[in-house]
DNA sequence: ACTTTCGGTCAACGGCCGTAGAGTTAAACG
DNA sequence: CGTTTAACTCTACGGCCGTTGACCGAAAGT
């Protein structure tokens, strides 16, 4: 079973990685509350007490399992940013990191996860807001861009809405592009619709 | 304390209403798992066993507390629909019904709530999709509209992102309008951006 | 080879929860 | 008035969970 000869440190790292992998998977599909340390231990082929010994508490395990959340905030300049956002969304619609899914899954019911999510999303918003400083209300626009993408991701990955599940990722990205551009561009949309409501 | 003279049926309805109100409030702010029947009973000034006697189970209590979720799917015809969506979002950004909040709060971690949410959102998507039958992929477009609004609402109401909390509701609606229109309109956005990525 | 160290297990405690059943009080009804 | 009915409470069971401390066996150090 276990590869025959490896140092103690190697074994430790290996089982720690197995525990973290199991934790990420379970946190991602069941959320914080419904994921038991016992289940994580079983998934890792290990005794529950060992998980405690390694991570101290369920909270700490969650934090460690999720800490890869802060994806790159946003380097680009103007509307290449839109390309980038849609690319990461499009490509990863089928493959978001499990830590991110775990975070999103738990952020509405676990206050600590909510705080972590607020910080991570805030970083992204700040990054995008900086790139949008040409427009009015850049922060608000950035927040709307991020929450829009968040909503689509939730509907797609976490809720599994059929209308989104059945659509190819690049089609979603293509339809989303003008909407995101409309959020980032200062002027009125285009065709003379109506001034205000 | 209790208003002096009322029939047995009146008292029953009153306490049932008190229980439901407490349940809605707690489910909305803590989600299904973290809301205990004991806490609901305390909030209603009642013994926990009475909640069981009235509603049979915690599940049933949740279902009853949330059943007002399916807001009107969407009657309108074309882009008056956008007006309507943004109006309900704008007006209710500060006042969504607590049952809806409870539903949204729990849908990512409770499978039963997720199923209810999928049905409710599916109804809305179908309604909007019907109004969008002029465009290609009407259902997908409708799903993106709904998930976009969902994401903004989550960021605003459930996560409390500062950038959204500090913005007036009508400003949010105004910025969101061209984005939603971009999702519902068939043609390419407007200015000749770039054909594809 | 003896001892120490440490990855790992076992068994258990204490707490909180959903739920059930018997019991209590007072309004409805004859 | 006595009896019934129903709103409401008390008490407790059984289960699952996070967490703990004692214990075991093999690798590491001397």
């Amino acid at each position: 079973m276990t590869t025959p000869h490896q140092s103690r440190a190697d074994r430790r790292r290996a089982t720690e990685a197995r525990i973290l992998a199991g934790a990420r998977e379970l946190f991602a599909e069941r959320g914080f509350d419904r994921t038991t340390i016992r289940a994580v231990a079983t998934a890792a082929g290990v005794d529950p007490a060992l998980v405690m010994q390694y991570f101290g508490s369920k909270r700490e395990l969650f934090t460690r399992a999720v800490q890869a959340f802060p994806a790159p905030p946003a380097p680009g300049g103007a509307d290449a940013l839109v390309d980038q956002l849609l690319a990461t969304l499009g490509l990863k619609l089928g493959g978001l990191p499990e830590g991110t899914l775990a975070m999103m899954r738990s952020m509405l019911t676990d206050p600590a996860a909510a705080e972590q999510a607020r910080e991570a999303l805030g970083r992204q918003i700040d990054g995008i807001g900086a790139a949008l400083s040409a427009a009015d209300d850049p922060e608000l626009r950035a927040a709307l861009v991020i929450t829009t993408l968040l909503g689509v991701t939730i509907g797609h990955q976490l809720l599994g809405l059929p209308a989104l599940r059945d659509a190819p990722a690049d089609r979603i990205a293509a339809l989303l592009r003008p909407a995101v551009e409309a959020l980032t561009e200062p002027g009125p949309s285009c065709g003379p619709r109506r001034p205000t409501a």
Side-chain angles (χ1 to χ4, degrees), chain A:
Chain A
M1 278 300 167
T2 63
T3 38
H5 50 308
Q6 43 184 344
S7 80
R8 278 229 265 242
D10 283 342
R11 275 194 67 78
R12 176 176 241 283
R13 269 189 292 272
T15 63
E16 181 172 310
R18 250 184 308 140
I19 293 174
L20 274 175
R24 262 189 281 264
E25 182 177 339
L26 290 173
F27 281 138
E29 72 183 30
R30 302 214 252 264
F32 182 82
D33 286 332
R34 299 210 172 184
T35 297
T36 68
I37 290 218
R38 285 168 162 87
V40 170
T42 300
V46 149
D47 189 273
L50 192 66
V51 178
M52 294 299 299
Q53 197 172 328
Y54 272 41
F55 297 93
S57 71
K58 187 182 175 182
R59 276 251 88 80
E60 193 65 27
L61 173 62
F62 180 79
T63 305
R64 290 276 309 274
V66 149
Q67 71 182 5
F69 185 63
D79 61 7
L81 172 137
V82 177
D83 289 334
Q84 182 184 340
L85 286 175
L86 290 175
T88 61
L89 176 117
L91 289 179
K92 294 187 173 177
L93 263 192
L96 272 175
E98 258 172 341
T100 305
L101 290 178
M103 169 109 259
M104 290 196 299
R105 178 80 73 186
S106 307
M107 71 184 174
L108 298 190
T109 38
D110 181 77
E115 180 56 29
Q116 289 186 248
R118 234 166 300 163
E119 287 174 13
L121 293 174
R123 274 191 295 273
Q124 302 237 26
I125 290 173
D126 288 347
I128 297 179
L132 257 46
S133 52
D136 52 338
D137 276 331
E139 261 192 62
L140 178 55
R141 287 175 185 273
L144 291 176
V145 168
I146 284 297
T147 52
T148 293
L149 266 30
L150 177 71
V152 173
T153 305
I154 286 176
H156 187 284
Q157 298 288 110
L158 266 27
L159 281 177
L161 292 178
L164 295 183
R165 258 260 160 269
D166 299 345
D170 53 349
R171 179 72 181 135
I172 294 179
L175 284 178
L176 231 33
R177 172 182 300 273
V180 175
E181 283 171 350
L183 283 174
T184 61
E185 281 163 11
S189 60
C190 54
R193 275 285 154 202
R194 67 190 55 178
T196 7

